[in-house]
Amino acid sequence: MAVTKITEISVCLAKLYFAVLLEHVRTELGKAEADRDITIRYGELVRRTKEKYPDAPYIEAAIPVNIGKRLLVVEMICQRLSLPNLACLAVNGQGRPGEGYTGDWEADKAAILAFDWDAASADVHHAFELETAAARKRARTERRRKLPESEARDLYWEAYKADRASYDGKVDLEGKEAMIKLLMRGFPIEEAFNEVVEQE
């Protein structure tokens, strides 16, 4: 698993995705076995997360195109706590985990169904809190100046004009608006870009 720089945004969103994935599993376990579908599409996971946590920090950066880096954090936390890989339940449009997933999918899904998730909740919360604190500590080393919306939009437009090739096809309208909100919070343009696109 290659998790490079883990940002506070990724940890915060991963924690929310973890909670929604866990809720999804519990709902599916309540169904007859023939009616279960424990997988969930990226877009649906994002939609449910935004619906359940509309006021959560960084929720504006929850978009399907960048979900992979957040799922890698979910996977990392699961691995750290010796839990089944809950992240493998989030799937792309073809109904499969994304390219970052390298496990045995059928075995991982079976382990998720057999696990007692109630016993792990306190450990999971603590692990996410520790990772959030570490990400905040890394971010404190960077000075950030919050921008008014008009200035953030101008900064986005200048960056887009300077490097259209990087933006076209990677930053859609939803991603653009998410970037602008991050710029307003004081994120540097490169970091805002990296938060809304899925890196190859």
Side-chain angles (χ1 to χ4, degrees):
M1 162 187 21
V3 181
T4 53
K5 181 182 176 188
I6 300 173
T7 65
E8 183 178 353
I9 294 174
S10 288
V11 178
C12 289
L13 293 178
K15 182 178 180 181
L16 302 179
Y17 290 148
F18 186 99
V20 173
L21 285 165
L22 187 54
E23 181 179 272
H24 175 71
V25 167
R26 288 177 172 151
T27 299
E28 291 300 314
L29 285 171
K31 297 178 180 178
E33 191 171 340
D35 297 331
R36 286 182 195 154
D37 181 5
I38 62 168
T39 63
I40 182 171
R41 302 285 172 133
Y42 296 152
E44 179 63 12
L45 178 56
V46 169
R47 185 193 67 73
R48 288 188 197 177
T49 302
K50 285 183 168 185
E51 187 176 281
K52 186 169 175 105
Y53 304 103
D55 299 321
Y58 307 115
I59 197 68
E60 67 272 9
I63 56 179
V65 75
N66 66 14
I67 200 167
K69 64 181 84 173
R70 285 56 156 130
L71 292 173
L72 285 173
V73 176
V74 171
E75 182 178 347
M76 179 191 72
I77 295 292
C78 288
Q79 187 176 52
R80 186 176 294 163
L81 298 175
S82 299
L83 302 174
N85 180 10
L86 201 59
C88 80
L89 301 182
V91 296
N92 60 25
Q94 290 74 45
R96 304 280 306 166
E99 293 175 15
Y101 174 74
T102 58
D104 179 336
W105 196 36
E106 295 305 322
D108 283 348
K109 289 189 294 184
I112 288 166
L113 291 173
F115 191 75
D116 177 10
W117 288 97
D118 292 334
S121 61
D123 289 341
V124 169
H125 177 75
H126 184 66
F128 275 110
E129 291 305 312
L130 289 174
E131 199 57 51
T132 300
R136 282 184 183 144
K137 185 175 180 180
R138 287 188 297 271
R140 273 195 294 266
T141 61
E142 304 167 9
R143 289 199 160 278
R144 297 185 176 177
R145 182 177 74 85
K146 294 182 179 183
L147 301 176
E149 184 176 354
S150 60
E151 207 173 313
R153 288 189 180 280
D154 289 345
L155 181 58
Y156 173 87
W157 181 240
E158 291 302 317
Y160 173 78
K161 287 191 304 187
D163 191 8
R164 279 180 196 233
S166 293
Y167 284 71
D168 287 343
K170 288 187 178 180
V171 181
D172 60 7
L173 183 58
E174 187 179 23
K176 172 187 169 186
E177 292 304 315
M179 272 188 73
I180 288 167
K181 288 178 182 172
L182 293 173
L183 292 170
M184 290 169 64
R185 286 176 173 239
F187 283 76
I189 188 72
E190 299 83 11
E191 191 172 332
F193 177 84
N194 289 335
E195 289 295 342
V196 302
V197 301
E198 188 65 47
Q199 300 299 316
E200 295 155 0

